[in-house]
Amino acid sequence: MKNIDLLITLTAHERDSNNVTIAFTVGINALEKGKDTVILLLSDAVHLGAKGYGDKINIGVPFKPVHELIDTFIAKGGRIAVCSSCMQHNGVSEESLYSEAEIVTASFITEALFVSQRQLQLN
């Protein structure tokens, strides 16, 4: 696995819209600084890997709506890693995911934690 400058782990979905918004906002900022950035979706957050799910999350000014943040994060080269076991547990199908999303296992998650230079955890 290549080095990861910033690994953002996220477990929340719309129940904590603030943390979802912060995760993608910080991720975009890191990408703009040239940092390889991965947002790891665990637990309930796997729903965010599904196209259209972020449409309902918008905490308001000064932040952008989550669907815009996700699109920008992907367009700037950010990586979205989605836990396969969490997907199964939460009923999220592979077909519903953004085509750029990576489905990952516990092995990837463990290794990503070890190779990442910096981590931000939002629960």
Coordinates of all heavy atoms in Angstrom, one line a residue, residues 13-14 16-23 57 59 63 122:
H13 N -23.2 9.4 9.7 CA -23.9 9.7 8.5 C -24.8 10.9 8.9 O -24.4 11.8 9.6 CB -24.7 8.5 7.9 CG -25.7 7.9 8.8 ND1 -25.8 8.1 10.1 CD2 -26.7 7.0 8.4 CE1 -26.9 7.3 10.6 NE2 -27.4 6.7 9.6
E14 N -26.1 10.9 8.4 CA -26.9 12.1 8.7 C -27.2 12.4 10.2 O -27.5 13.5 10.6 CB -28.2 12.1 7.9 CG -29.3 11.3 8.5 CD -29.3 9.9 8.0 OE1 -28.4 9.5 7.3 OE2 -30.3 9.1 8.3
D16 N -25.1 12.7 12.4 CA -24.1 13.8 12.8 C -23.6 14.5 11.5 O -22.5 14.3 11.1 CB -22.9 13.1 13.6 CG -22.1 14.2 14.3 OD1 -22.2 15.4 13.9 OD2 -21.4 13.9 15.2
S17 N -24.4 15.3 11.0 CA -24.2 16.0 9.8 C -22.9 16.9 9.9 O -22.2 17.1 8.9 CB -25.4 16.9 9.4 OG -26.5 16.0 9.2
N18 N -22.7 17.4 11.1 CA -21.5 18.3 11.3 C -20.2 17.5 11.0 O -19.3 18.0 10.3 CB -21.5 18.9 12.7 CG -22.5 19.9 13.0 OD1 -23.0 20.6 12.0 ND2 -22.9 20.1 14.2
N19 N -20.1 16.3 11.6 CA -18.9 15.6 11.4 C -18.7 15.1 9.9 O -17.6 15.1 9.4 CB -18.8 14.4 12.3 CG -18.3 14.7 13.7 OD1 -17.9 15.9 14.0 ND2 -18.4 13.8 14.6
V20 N -19.8 14.8 9.3 CA -19.7 14.4 7.9 C -19.2 15.6 7.1 O -18.3 15.5 6.2 CB -21.1 14.0 7.3 CG1 -21.1 13.8 5.8 CG2 -21.5 12.7 8.0
T21 N -19.7 16.8 7.3 CA -19.3 18.0 6.6 C -17.9 18.3 6.9 O -17.1 18.6 6.0 CB -20.2 19.2 7.0 OG1 -21.6 18.8 6.7 CG2 -19.9 20.4 6.3
I22 N -17.5 18.2 8.1 CA -16.1 18.5 8.5 C -15.1 17.5 7.8 O -14.1 17.9 7.3 CB -15.9 18.4 10.0 CG1 -16.6 19.6 10.7 CG2 -14.4 18.4 10.4 CD1 -16.8 19.5 12.2
A23 N -15.5 16.3 7.8 CA -14.6 15.3 7.2 C -14.3 15.6 5.7 O -13.1 15.6 5.3 CB -15.2 13.9 7.2
I57 N -27.9 16.2 3.2 CA -27.1 16.7 4.3 C -26.6 18.1 3.9 O -25.7 18.2 3.0 CB -26.0 15.8 4.7 CG1 -26.5 14.4 5.0 CG2 -25.2 16.3 5.8 CD1 -25.4 13.3 5.3
I59 N -25.6 21.5 6.4 CA -25.6 22.2 7.7 C -25.7 23.7 7.5 O -25.9 24.4 8.5 CB -24.5 21.7 8.6 CG1 -23.1 22.1 8.1 CG2 -24.6 20.2 8.9 CD1 -22.0 21.9 9.1
F63 N -20.5 26.3 5.3 CA -20.2 25.1 4.6 C -21.1 24.8 3.4 O -22.2 25.2 3.3 CB -20.4 23.9 5.6 CG -19.5 24.0 6.8 CD1 -19.9 24.5 8.0 CD2 -18.2 23.6 6.7 CE1 -19.1 24.6 9.1 CE2 -17.3 23.7 7.8 CZ -17.8 24.2 9.0
L122 N -13.5 11.0 13.1 CA -14.7 11.7 13.4 C -15.8 10.6 13.6 O -16.1 9.8 12.7 CB -15.1 12.6 12.2 CG -14.1 13.8 12.1 CD1 -14.3 14.4 10.7 CD2 -14.3 14.8 13.2

